[in-house]
């Protein structure tokens, strides 16, 4: 199979060769259990702790504040459920309508367990209003969970202001930083809990961490041998944790340079797509993660466009990233009020470390023809306001 032009880095990324090389020994000779006392065990422990130190150093955190998990879904669950069940009096949780389902569905589950939840709306660009958060805070609010940058439309949130406000009110602040970590600086001083996943930054799948500020009480989700300071039992996934550390090191050493390059690609994509009639940019024009651009095209289905582009050797994703078989439009696009006439025709283009200017140009060359071909078969026309 010839390798496609990969513009779906928000979904996942290729494991960097340096990361593979760092992981390999821990799937071979260095197979010890970090809890074992012998030399093989100590070697594995040293590798896990080295990774923890790397991450803590780049976050300006203490190593005790890093809890390794099996990815960000678990980290988000641990943050919300762990904080909720550890809280003695406060029970109210605030989040937003555009969170990843790993936060939204967890919050809904907590609601079913008797924790009141407020879900805040966002504006047309996907931004949360700091005043709306302020007004939603109650005497019994225990936690606010607002993502750093959105995985579908890229919009960045004012997490520094929100986190600072929460701190002043004695409320915990959690941020899902899966898409932002290693791409933009994070205001760690304002954050109590922060979730990260390795596979979005050229690390392996199924590993991540939760940053837990010192003093924050969490009830563990997994009970057992008391690993990770009692917060997450289970033998550590040594090769993957080593990969996460290596990926973090690379991401932080390149962050500024990479972000500038990706921002340039985003600007070029926005400019190029604007030349096609009946399109719109979803998200914020400037307050955005550098690597995500989300567009809607009138009179076509996003899934059709993804498949057409796939035939042409370009891997992108529908803006809706539908996970349900009934192809319901994305909760994020609905929350920002994308008109029903275009909500089904959305496309998310996300760039990464390996993306080249030539790939962006090739995509922009293929796109108008693909859109036109699909529109030729559509019962709808550009400018048609009928819902489809
Ligand atoms: C914003 C955000 N949060 C959480 C997740 C879940 O991460 P993981 O795949 O590590 O469980 C993702 C991945 O799609 C994401 O983009």
């Amino acid at each position: 199979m010839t390798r496609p032009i990969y513009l779906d880095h928000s979904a996942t990324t290729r494991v960097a060769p340096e990361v593979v090389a760092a992981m390999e020994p821990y799937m071979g000779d260095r197979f010890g259990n970090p809890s074992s006392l012998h030399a093989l065990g100590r070697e594995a422990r040293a590798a896990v702790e080295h990774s923890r130190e790397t991450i803590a150093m780049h976050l300006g955190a203490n190593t005790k504040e890093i809890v390794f998990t099996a990815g960000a879904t678990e980290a988000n669950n641990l943050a919300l459920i762990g904080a909720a069940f550890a809280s003695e009096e406060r029970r109210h949780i605030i989040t937003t309508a555009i969170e990843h389902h790993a936060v939204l569905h967890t919050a809904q589950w907590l609601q079913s367990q008797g924790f009141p939840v407020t879900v805040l709306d966002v504006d047309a660009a996907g931004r949360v209003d700091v005043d709306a958060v302020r007004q939603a805070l109650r005497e019994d609010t225990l936690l606010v969970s607002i993502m750093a940058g959105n995985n579908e439309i890229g919009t960045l949130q004012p997490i520094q202001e929100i986190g600072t406000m929460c701190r002043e009110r004695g409320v915990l602040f959690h941020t899902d930083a899966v898409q932002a970590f290693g791409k933009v600086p994070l205001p760690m001083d304002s954050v109590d809990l922060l979730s990260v996943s390795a596979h979005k930054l050229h690390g392996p799948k199924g590993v991540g961490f939760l940053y837990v500020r010192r003093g924050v009480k969490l009830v563990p989700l997994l009970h057992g041998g008391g690993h990770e300071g009692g917060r997450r039992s289970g033998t550590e996934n040594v090769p993957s944790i080593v990969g996460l550390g290596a990926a973090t090191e690379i991401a932080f050493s390149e962050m500024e340079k990479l972000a500038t390059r990706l921002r340039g690609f985003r600007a070029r994509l926005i400019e190029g797509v604007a030349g096609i009639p009946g399109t719109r940019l979803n998200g914020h024009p400037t307050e955005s993660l550098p690597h995500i651009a989300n567009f809607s095209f009138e009179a076509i289905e996003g899934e059709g466009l993804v498949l057409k582009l796939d035939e042409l050797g370009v891997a992108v994703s529908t803006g809706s990233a539908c996970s349900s078989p009934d192809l319901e439009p994305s909760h994020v696009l609905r929350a920002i009020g994308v008109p029903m006439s275009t909500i089904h025709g959305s496309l998310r283009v996300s760039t990464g470390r390996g993306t080249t200017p030539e790939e962006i140009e090739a995509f922009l060359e293929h796109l108008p023809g693909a859109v036109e071909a699909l529109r030729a078969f559509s019962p709808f026309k550009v400018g048609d306001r009928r819902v489809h």
Side-chain angles (χ1 to χ4, degrees):
M1 180 178 155
T2 52
R3 295 278 114 205
I5 293 174
Y6 188 74
L7 297 175
D8 200 13
H9 289 80
S10 301
T12 198
T13 57
R14 184 196 177 113
V15 183
E18 305 94 305
V19 173
V20 175
M23 291 172 70
E24 241 170 349
Y26 296 92
M27 290 182 283
D29 290 345
R30 301 186 188 172
F31 60 87
N33 182 328
S35 298
S36 298
L37 284 180
H38 48 64
L40 272 175
R42 294 198 305 275
E43 182 178 59
R45 168 60 56 204
V48 167
E49 297 314 318
H50 177 68
S51 184
R52 201 189 306 278
E53 278 158 24
T54 302
I55 294 164
M57 191 256 289
H58 285 297
L59 282 181
N62 189 290
T63 48
K64 290 201 176 75
E65 296 174 315
I66 307 299
V67 179
F68 290 119
T69 62
T73 298
E74 184 190 328
N76 285 340
N77 273 260
L78 178 57
L80 270 69
I81 298 173
F85 281 90
S87 170
E88 279 162 20
E89 279 160 22
R90 298 177 178 229
R91 295 181 72 77
H92 176 231
I93 293 165
I94 298 172
T95 189
T96 80
I98 63 165
E99 298 300 310
H100 190 274
H101 283 143
V103 165
L104 263 185
H105 288 172
T106 305
Q108 280 162 11
W109 181 79
L110 281 168
Q111 190 157 36
S112 77
Q113 301 302 304
F115 294 89
V117 175
T118 301
V119 179
L120 295 173
D121 287 331
V122 292
D123 68 16
R127 292 270 285 183
V128 182
D129 179 11
V130 180
D131 275 335
V133 182
R134 185 174 291 116
Q135 280 159 24
L137 286 172
R138 312 189 325 200
E139 286 293 302
D140 67 335
T141 303
L142 81 93
L143 173 89
V144 173
S145 176
I146 297 180
M147 68 200 323
N150 186 268
N151 52 301
E152 292 188 36
I153 56 174
T155 303
L156 289 167
Q157 300 299 348
I159 57 167
Q160 178 147 28
E161 290 97 304
I162 295 170
T164 305
M165 184 171 70
C166 288
R167 179 79 44 88
E168 286 163 7
R169 300 281 293 263
V171 174
L172 293 176
F173 180 61
H174 167 249
T175 191
D176 174 340
V178 167
Q179 300 288 345
F181 181 78
K183 297 279 188 339
V184 292
L186 292 164
M188 293 307 292
D189 286 350
S190 321
V191 170
D192 297 304
L193 295 153
L194 176 135
S195 307
V196 169
S197 178
H199 75 103
K200 312 289 185 176
L201 68 148
H202 301 279
K205 295 170 181 60
V207 66
F209 70 85
L210 179 67
Y211 160 82
V212 186
R213 176 178 293 286
R214 212 164 109 185
V216 172
K217 289 200 185 73
L218 288 187
V219 166
L221 301 182
L222 301 183
H223 303 268
H227 305 75
E228 297 297 291
R231 286 185 154 142
R232 204 278 182 182
S233 286
T235 302
E236 297 88 342
N237 183 347
V238 180
S240 295
I241 289 172
V242 167
L244 169 56
T248 301
E249 184 61 51
I250 296 169
F252 276 80
S253 66
E254 298 180 338
M255 184 156 78
E256 262 180 51
K257 235 171 84 194
L258 181 65
T260 304
R261 237 185 59 229
L262 302 187
R263 238 175 251 122
F265 291 153
R266 185 172 187 269
R268 174 70 189 118
L269 285 165
I270 293 172
E271 175 196 58
V273 172
I276 304 173
T279 63
R280 59 170 265 162
L281 172 74
N282 298 317
H284 201 286
T286 52
E287 288 300 312
S288 176
L289 288 164
H291 64 298
I292 299 179
N294 187 310
F295 304 99
S296 282
F297 299 84
E298 289 179 25
I300 53 171
E301 300 288 335
E303 287 75 20
L305 187 53
V306 168
L307 294 175
K308 186 88 199 149
L309 288 166
D310 190 40
E311 273 174 28
L312 297 166
V314 183
V316 285
S317 140
T318 56
S320 50
C322 293
S323 51
S324 59
D326 52 4
L327 298 181
E328 276 292 304
S330 122
H331 65 288
V332 176
L333 299 182
R334 269 185 290 154
I336 63 169
V338 176
M340 285 313 273
S341 58
T342 50
I343 201 164
H344 289 283
S346 310
L347 198 72
R348 179 184 68 181
V349 187
S350 49
T351 56
R353 193 180 181 220
T355 306
T356 62
E358 292 75 27
E359 288 182 326
I360 298 291
E361 293 312 314
F363 166 74
L364 288 173
E365 261 167 47
H366 286 310
L367 187 64
V371 170
E372 212 173 288
L374 288 165
R375 281 182 178 162
F377 291 104
S378 172
F380 301 94
K381 295 281 161 276
V382 173
D384 199 339
R385 290 284 162 233
R386 283 176 298 161
V387 173
H388 68 292

